Amino acid sequence: MNYRHRSSIQVGDVAQLFDGKRLRLARQLAGLRKNALAEKVDKTPTAIAAYEKSTKRPAPATVAQLSLALGVDPSFFLPGPVALEFSDAVAHFRSLRSTTQLARDQALAYGLATVDVSATLERHVEFPEEDIPHCEIRADVESPEGAAGALRGRWNVAPGPVGHLVRMAEHQGVLVVFSPPQGASVDAYSFEGLSRPVVVLNPTKDNFYRQRFDLAHELGHLVMHADAEPGSPRIEAQADSFAAEFLMPEEQIKNILPSKADWAQLQRIKESWGVSLQALLYRSRALGIMSDVTYRNAMIFLSSKGWKRQEPGVMPILEQPSLLPGAVSLLAEAGVSQQTLADEARVPLSLFRQICSRAPMDESLVLDESQGSPLPEGVVSLFSGSH
């Protein structure tokens, strides 16, 4: 099969078909407020707002200016693979106080671009069906532990430690991606994603154990908090409780957790269960196995040894997403280039590559297609083996 890049669409045609929500998406991806964009294209903030609301169409010359100012092809402003409804994508950010609105908008826009990329790839490669239970468990939001146990049961998670959690989530239709380097100020976050649930992991947390807990925390939000106001301490505490029970079920771990700070034993449990020493200490106290005094003393010792920053032992490599990068590799074998897929998704190639990367990328890895692809090749199937 011979695939070719689409011919460039005329700017005048883009002006006729202009989707204001796509302008808002591009602006937020660029981290700009309306007034900043207006200044770049010599328009008023009111005009930018009118374009975004689709109450006014920009002239072809203005489309070209917007394209240059935002670093996107004019075709970006055409209706995308998924109808954008910003109000339907409410992201769960860890701390609303420490994260600016501009940073949250940029992060959410990246997640929405991920949905566009996913929808494009799904036209060519079959993805797993989504299986995030909502009504069945959401009514149980006052019992995060019950929700976590129900999800383990629904996903047929074997008793004991959870295996590759990123792959497990992807098997259930969740999009898991790393945010770009410029989004490192925003912690892991999640949202329903319009067509698929999305979890975006922080690219600077080079910590296997923290990444797994972050992902389990975000799964808790997806299961329990679709209709909840994000960012409240209660909601975040519930997601933490969900993550602790999902990764360390009480009935399965309470008999092996020490009541004292037996560091050798804790290290063995850490390696086996894929959770940090701090998480094990907190879990032991939460389950009433370790006293408050013992817990405090253990945390003081842990801090004095510098283990809060870097725990002892070999750090496993991060769990890597396979769903999107695997689809890209399969299509590459069929002769479909990343540029072609990026064009179809209406996103810049550099953004496409970041979204489809298996590992956190820095700017130096965002290569021109002529220089090669940072995506690993040779993937023969999207998934193999069991959880």
Side-chain angles (χ1 to χ4, degrees), residues 172-340:
Q172 308 304 328
V174 179
L175 301 178
V176 182
V177 298
F178 290 102
S179 68
Q182 61 268 30
S185 62
V186 178
D187 212 333
Y189 60 98
S190 59
F191 65 100
E192 285 292 333
L194 306 180
S195 63
R196 281 186 179 275
V198 178
V199 175
V200 182
L201 300 174
N202 189 296
T204 63
K205 285 187 179 178
D206 190 16
N207 187 307
F208 169 83
Y209 304 102
R210 180 63 183 272
Q211 182 207 60
R212 281 166 55 85
F213 197 90
D214 281 352
L215 178 51
H217 176 104
E218 298 307 326
L219 289 175
H221 282 315
L222 292 174
V223 168
M224 300 184 296
H225 300 139
D227 296 326
E229 188 69 25
S232 74
R234 182 179 71 89
I235 291 299
E236 292 302 308
Q238 286 183 349
D240 279 343
S241 296
F242 177 99
E245 178 66 21
F246 190 83
L247 294 172
M248 301 168 282
E250 178 179 358
E251 292 302 316
Q252 299 170 30
I253 202 169
K254 64 180 180 182
N255 291 330
I256 63 174
L257 286 173
S259 59
K260 304 297 182 183
D262 184 334
W263 296 107
Q265 183 179 355
L266 287 166
Q267 184 70 15
R268 286 191 292 270
I269 299 171
K270 165 187 168 177
E271 297 282 349
S272 174
W273 286 74
V275 292
S276 67
L277 291 176
Q278 293 185 68
L280 288 171
L281 291 172
Y282 187 88
R283 189 68 169 147
S284 185
R285 183 188 66 166
L287 296 178
I289 298 166
M290 187 175 287
S291 70
D292 288 344
V293 172
T294 301
Y295 170 79
R296 284 196 299 271
N297 290 337
M299 290 299 293
I300 290 171
F301 177 82
L302 186 144
S303 181
S304 70
K305 300 291 287 185
W307 292 352
K308 276 193 172 182
R309 295 188 304 275
Q310 184 173 354
E311 293 189 357
V314 176
M315 179 67 70
I317 64 171
L318 295 177
E319 294 182 353
Q320 298 182 344
S322 297
L323 186 56
L324 298 182
V328 170
S329 293
L330 286 174
L331 290 169
E333 294 176 1
V336 187
S337 71
Q338 292 181 40
Q339 183 66 67
T340 297

Side-chain angles (χ1 to χ4, degrees), residues 25-32 93 100-112 180 182-186 189:
L25 180 67
R27 175 178 63 79
Q28 292 183 347
L29 279 169
L32 295 175
F93 296 103
T100 66
Q101 184 64 53
L102 198 63
R104 294 199 301 271
D105 287 346
Q106 188 175 31
L108 179 58
Y110 180 81
L112 292 173
Q182 61 268 30
S185 62
V186 178
Y189 60 98

